[in-house]
Amino acid sequence: LFGDQLAENLIEIDNPCEGIRLHGYVANPTHSRSNNRQQYLFLNGRHIRDRALQHALGEAYRGLLLTGRYPICFLNLEMPHAQVDVNVHPSKQEVRFQDGGAIYSQLLGTLRSKFLSTDLVARGDVQSLTARGNEDEIAQSTPQTSELFQWAKQELGNTSSTESSTPPFMAFDTRAVGVREGQQYASSPPTIAEEATDLASEAKGTDFLRVDPTSSPVGTAHFSPSALQIHNRYIVVENDEGLEIIDQHALHERILYEQLRDKVLAGELERQRLLVPEPVDLADSEAAAVLENREILARVGLEVEPFGGRAVLVSAYPAMLAHRSPAEVLRSLVEQLLTEGKNPGPRDVLDELMHGMACKAAVKYGDRLTLEEVASLLAQRHLAQDHHHCPHGRPTTLVFTRDQLDRQFKRI
Ligand SMILES: [Zn+2]
């Protein structure tokens, strides 16, 4: 039951807004797919495909998923039939919304605010960590999630029939409870995730599991977590729940990225102006990329001018990278420009540049940190909106609850 990683990591979404209700589940960003085939979107219970909504979903997960990974969702939109045309395509999978923009914003806004209020930390568990390589197969490996997927697939198979067999997962199957517009919802059976949580809390509630704080040699460290840097890479922190292992580079990068993003979007980034502009020689393709993206580079503090041929002149560069030479800063940003996929939007380019700068400015994997530096890093993480993921979507922190440790040591 507890191997059921996906079910435990579904986040419930329920947002009724001006007659349109968005309801269902999205996966914690720790669970993603290499394609978008596990994005199940329904409109009034009927399966649909909609590029705009898939895009909104991708935007909501921006910065939370690795490049090339796609979110998983099971979402149903309920809206008055008059506000949508379902007859644009014979298969009825494509629909046309009267106000597509509003639905796009509702989906994006609902997920964003949900993520901000949700603890998105990666739940570590030794078994799942060792099996992480084939996370796409998790659906097949555990009975509960495979039932869920089977149900969803079955829904796809018979979208035209109004009567289907009772799905094992009916939290948002409106037909099963006979809901029409404006009618109240019958209570749904508990979902797999809820059941798992119930069992988990039952287990936690067992008295013999409680540790007598006075018998614990390290103390329970409720108010001042003790932290330890290991292998010049990771910081191990004891907390109330258990322990956290933090990737020092990923966390620092995240914090710097958010600070940078706030400043760049507000146009308040500090830049260092060079008294004597510095010419930098580049390859043809690099010089072209730089000049093509001059305006975006200026937004992240790097000001360049053409200098004839393949050379460009750097006249200002971001102050946060002042410990590096202007040529080095330019070269690393050019690299970011060139690794961007084909036809990126300006926001993608800007994001990629900010990732690159945050990465360059952050403490490195392998840097020995002083106690003060560790403390300052830990103090700053609560300022970041999402300190659980680095800007590339990798987790910054793994959590091992004491309950999980007890299980692994066969104490429960
Ligand atoms: Zn990095």
Side-chain angles (χ1 to χ4, degrees):
L1 181 67
F2 288 95
D4 196 355
Q5 287 281 300
L6 180 63
E8 273 184 48
N9 283 287
L10 289 175
I11 299 166
E12 186 172 9
I13 300 295
D14 191 359
N15 181 18
C17 173
E18 292 173 24
I20 300 173
R21 181 175 188 229
L22 179 64
H23 186 206
Y25 294 85
V26 297
N28 186 304
T30 49
H31 288 71
S32 61
R33 296 275 295 181
S34 54
N35 56 54
N36 62 10
R37 287 200 292 270
Q38 267 174 23
Q39 297 179 357
Y40 295 102
L41 292 171
F42 298 85
L43 171 73
N44 295 331
R46 180 211 304 268
H47 177 244
I48 57 162
R49 293 207 176 279
D50 189 277
R51 281 176 179 277
L53 294 182
Q54 283 174 342
H55 188 266
L57 202 59
E59 283 299 300
Y61 279 80
R62 186 190 276 285
L64 300 176
L65 293 181
L66 297 178
T67 320
R69 302 298 297 180
Y70 293 84
I72 301 169
C73 78
F74 308 88
L75 287 172
N76 187 33
L77 266 171
E78 282 153 38
M79 60 192 299
H81 293 281
Q83 290 183 23
V84 59
D85 180 2
V86 296
N87 295 315
V88 286
H89 194 269
S91 78
K92 303 202 174 186
Q93 284 207 351
E94 276 172 47
V95 297
R96 189 175 296 135
F97 297 108
Q98 212 173 65
D99 189 354
I103 293 162
Y104 182 97
S105 314
Q106 185 179 352
L107 177 59
L108 180 59
T110 304
L111 296 191
R112 283 227 171 120
S113 50
K114 188 73 189 180
F115 290 156
L116 286 180
S117 63
T118 304
D119 185 18
L120 293 176
V121 73
R123 297 283 151 189
D125 117 36
V126 179
Q127 274 157 7
S128 78
L129 287 179
T130 49
R132 218 6 94 73
N134 55 357
E135 58 181 14
D136 282 359
E137 272 76 60
I138 283 174
Q140 278 75 47
S141 68
T142 63
Q144 288 84 1
T145 33
S146 76
E147 257 179 73
L148 179 58
F149 286 117
Q150 258 161 26
W151 168 75
K153 282 195 185 117
Q154 183 188 320
E155 283 292 294
L156 303 189
N158 56 13
T159 40
S160 53
S161 83
T162 43
E163 210 58 56
S164 63
S165 60
T166 312
F169 182 79
M170 49 195 301
F172 63 88
D173 187 321
T174 56
R175 286 162 304 160
V177 290
V179 172
R180 278 187 293 276
E181 290 164 34
Q183 209 172 321
Q184 264 308 323
Y185 286 87
S187 65
S188 322
T191 63
I192 303 152
E194 280 163 7
E195 271 168 13
T197 320
D198 283 351
L199 278 170
S201 52
E202 245 171 66
K204 272 184 194 150
T206 319
D207 270 334
F208 64 82
L209 290 182
R210 295 203 188 285
V211 166
D212 177 4
T214 55
S215 72
S216 163
V218 283
T220 43
H222 285 292
F223 302 109
S224 57
S226 36
L228 170 74
Q229 188 194 27
I230 59 167
H231 297 289
N232 296 343
R233 288 160 172 69
Y234 301 114
I235 298 167
V236 181
V237 188
E238 179 192 13
N239 63 18
D240 285 349
E241 214 190 341
L243 68 88
E244 292 170 286
I245 304 177
I246 296 166
D247 176 328
Q248 62 185 34
H249 172 76
L251 176 60
H252 196 207
E253 191 177 51
R254 179 76 208 188
I255 293 166
L256 292 177
Y257 166 75
E258 286 197 11
Q259 289 171 350
L260 184 61
R261 184 187 59 190
D262 292 348
K263 282 183 181 170
V264 166
L265 296 182
E268 290 168 353
L269 187 73
E270 299 89 358
R271 57 201 67 198
Q272 182 107 27
R273 203 155 284 286
L274 293 171
L275 288 176
V276 181
E278 189 171 320
V280 181
D281 273 321
L282 297 168
D284 285 329
S285 57
E286 292 174 335
V290 167
L291 295 175
E292 202 176 303
N293 290 286
R294 262 174 85 183
E295 278 176 30
I296 292 177
L297 287 167
R299 291 188 67 188
V300 297
L302 190 79
E303 292 175 19
V304 290
E305 284 156 46
F307 193 55
R310 298 175 308 182
V312 296
L313 210 52
V314 178
S315 52
Y317 71 114
M320 70 184 278
L321 294 173
H323 56 297
R324 289 165 194 272
S325 78
E328 193 192 341
V329 173
L330 176 64
R331 290 217 165 84
S332 73
L333 292 184
V334 169
E335 213 174 292
Q336 298 288 329
L337 284 178
L338 294 177
T339 52
E340 212 14 90
K342 45 185 183 312
N343 304 322
R347 182 61 217 267
D348 293 314
V349 176
L350 188 62
D351 241 26
E352 205 47 55
L353 291 175
M354 293 190 295
H355 289 169
M357 288 169 65
C359 185
K360 278 274 173 300
V363 295
K364 286 196 268 310
Y365 189 75
D367 280 351
R368 179 100 209 132
L369 300 184
T370 64
L371 285 175
E372 289 73 28
E373 285 168 329
V374 170
S376 137
L377 189 58
L378 292 178
Q380 285 181 69
R381 71 174 162 159
H382 302 291
L383 300 175
Q385 286 177 339
D386 175 14
H387 61 266
H388 298 313
H389 296 86
C390 85
H392 306 284
R394 281 190 294 274
T396 62
T397 309
L398 297 178
V399 169
F400 293 84
T401 64
R402 215 192 55 221
D403 194 58
Q404 286 171 325
L405 295 176
D406 289 345
R407 254 167 230 288
Q408 293 295 328
F409 284 111
K410 310 289 179 209
R411 292 194 167 274
I412 324 180

